[in-house]
Amino acid sequence: MSECDLMRESMPLLLTESLDPARRELTHQHIERCPSCGSEWTGYREAWRMLGELPELEVPASVKVRFLANVGELPERLKVVPFQRRPAARRLAQAAAVVLIAGGSYWFGHRAMPIQIAPSPATVSAPYSIAESRVLPASAISPEIQGRPDIQNVSFDDPNPNDDDIGLSFDITSHVTVKGRPTDKSVVRLLRYVLESEARTSPSRSRTIDWVRTTYSRPGNANPEIADALATVLRNDSHEGVRISAVETLKTLPGGNAQTRQALIDALKSDPNPAVRMKAVEALANLARRGGQMDPAMLDTLRAKAAQDGENMYVRLKAAEALNFRPQ
């Protein structure tokens, strides 16, 4: 099996985000440098988009009646329950259909006219990929260098002395601006990466958190991935100022999933900085005021903090207040 065949087998998994990071990176690199697989990937993505826009149709009443009539009367021990559609099932169905449509067009194309899926006018034929590393043919690089990019760590490679090709590897620092809606998946994933990246310095991360607070505190922009990224920052960042900013932002975000609550509970229990613990108990109290779900772990932590000798008095007071706001 050729490398292209292997990569095309990975494309449905790439659509459903089921590949591990290493294989995902290799697949993206191959797509970028292989025109044939790049065209194939465009077909997969367009088929995925088209299938995602198709409406989900209800089963006609007449079909239901005929089905029940054919089945006859069911035994008492068998219960018929309504079927609830699940997003995951729809994604798997989309992936299967994409394999048949886009992938099938490739194999069928060797024997007959290939199936053509024309991209819509809004589709970008060659999307910009943010990758750790990539291999590009010289023909894909403009000979005009724009601006003054910082090129470092240059190395040269000639893997095959018998041909005329050489390799030039380097790290480059350039400035990229991504424009889109706060709810766009690419924007959300980019922000999550910036928040969770261990390479981010505290000032840069703090600025990102401040911007996230302003943007994603609006109900229409709420996104669980942003909340999860802030919870990761709260658990892992070594700078107490960044952790405080993460708690303050979590407090303003609409809703609050289980991971968000657990991150606040962990901070209240064990964060070494009393200021972070104060902000954590305020955030939990805010959840209680909004009528949020107070699970047993949250209640136990608040009770323990309210009665803990040696704990900061403000933390104890706020824990007691949060318990008083507990929904009955």
Side-chain angles (χ1 to χ4, degrees):
M1 182 177 290
S2 68
E3 182 183 10
C4 289
D5 293 339
L6 290 172
M7 293 303 168
R8 289 174 182 182
E9 284 188 355
S10 299
M11 288 181 185
L13 299 176
L14 195 61
L15 285 170
T16 56
E17 300 174 7
S18 303
L19 291 178
D20 60 83
R23 191 174 173 192
R24 181 174 65 244
E25 181 72 15
L26 288 175
T27 305
H28 275 303
Q29 290 182 8
H30 178 86
I31 290 171
E32 288 178 353
R33 68 173 182 266
C34 177
S36 178
C37 288
S39 176
E40 188 78 8
W41 175 237
T42 300
Y44 270 88
R45 288 188 298 106
E46 181 64 13
W48 179 265
R49 183 194 64 78
M50 293 168 62
L51 289 169
E53 294 176 354
L54 292 176
E56 294 188 9
L57 302 178
E58 292 291 336
V59 178
S62 59
V63 175
K64 292 181 181 179
V65 171
R66 288 200 304 271
F67 171 78
L68 293 176
N70 292 333
V71 169
E73 189 170 345
L74 295 174
E76 179 63 26
R77 62 185 180 85
L78 296 179
K79 303 294 182 183
V80 179
V81 296
F83 176 74
Q84 301 293 334
R85 290 187 177 87
R86 298 180 179 177
R90 180 178 175 86
R91 288 168 63 87
L92 291 174
Q94 278 182 252
V98 167
V99 172
L100 292 174
I101 296 174
S105 68
Y106 167 75
W107 297 109
F108 184 72
H110 287 77
R111 300 185 180 183
M113 183 67 66
I115 299 173
Q116 299 293 331
I117 301 179
S120 64
T123 301
V124 179
S125 59
Y128 181 81
S129 174
I130 299 177
E132 182 178 0
S133 61
R134 67 180 68 191
V135 178
L136 299 174
S139 59
I141 304 296
S142 170
E144 301 296 329
I145 298 178
Q146 302 179 24
R148 298 184 60 84
D150 185 14
I151 295 178
Q152 299 180 357
N153 301 326
V154 179
S155 62
F156 302 93
D157 184 29
D158 188 4
N160 186 358
N162 297 321
D163 61 24
D164 295 331
D165 292 340
I166 61 170
L168 173 63
S169 300
F170 53 86
D171 297 331
I172 183 169
T173 300
S174 59
H175 191 74
V176 177
T177 300
V178 178
K179 293 185 177 181
R181 296 184 299 274
T183 53
D184 287 346
K185 189 172 185 179
S186 56
V187 174
V188 171
R189 289 292 171 84
L190 184 58
L191 282 171
R192 179 169 187 169
Y193 179 81
V194 172
L195 285 169
E196 293 182 342
S197 175
E198 295 181 359
R200 297 297 94 199
T201 60
S202 293
S204 175
R205 184 174 281 167
S206 293
R207 287 194 297 270
T208 303
I209 292 174
D210 291 341
W211 187 85
V212 164
R213 183 186 312 136
T214 302
T215 304
Y216 288 91
S217 60
R218 302 167 189 163
N221 295 339
N223 190 286
E225 287 199 50
I226 296 296
D228 291 347
L230 289 167
T232 300
V233 172
L234 179 56
R235 287 191 176 97
N236 300 329
D237 200 283
S238 60
H239 194 283
E240 61 271 12
V242 173
R243 299 201 302 277
I244 289 174
S245 294
V247 175
E248 290 178 337
T249 302
L250 284 170
K251 183 172 66 175
T252 65
L253 297 184
N257 56 25
Q259 183 172 347
T260 299
R261 293 195 299 273
Q262 190 58 51
L264 293 171
I265 290 171
D266 293 343
L268 178 56
K269 281 183 177 180
S270 57
D271 195 283
N273 190 283
V276 178
R277 299 198 300 275
M278 290 179 190
K279 294 296 183 181
V281 76
E282 286 179 356
L284 290 171
N286 193 56
L287 287 177
R289 290 188 184 94
R290 293 180 179 180
Q293 181 77 24
M294 295 191 72
D295 54 29
M298 185 188 297
L299 290 172
D300 290 344
T301 302
L302 290 171
R303 291 191 186 106
K305 282 296 173 181
Q308 182 178 341
D309 292 334
E311 179 57 273
N312 182 281
M313 186 57 65
Y314 183 83
V315 174
R316 295 180 62 180
L317 177 62
K318 285 297 181 181
E321 290 179 356
L323 289 169
N324 290 334
F325 279 108
R326 177 165 57 93
Q328 301 299 321

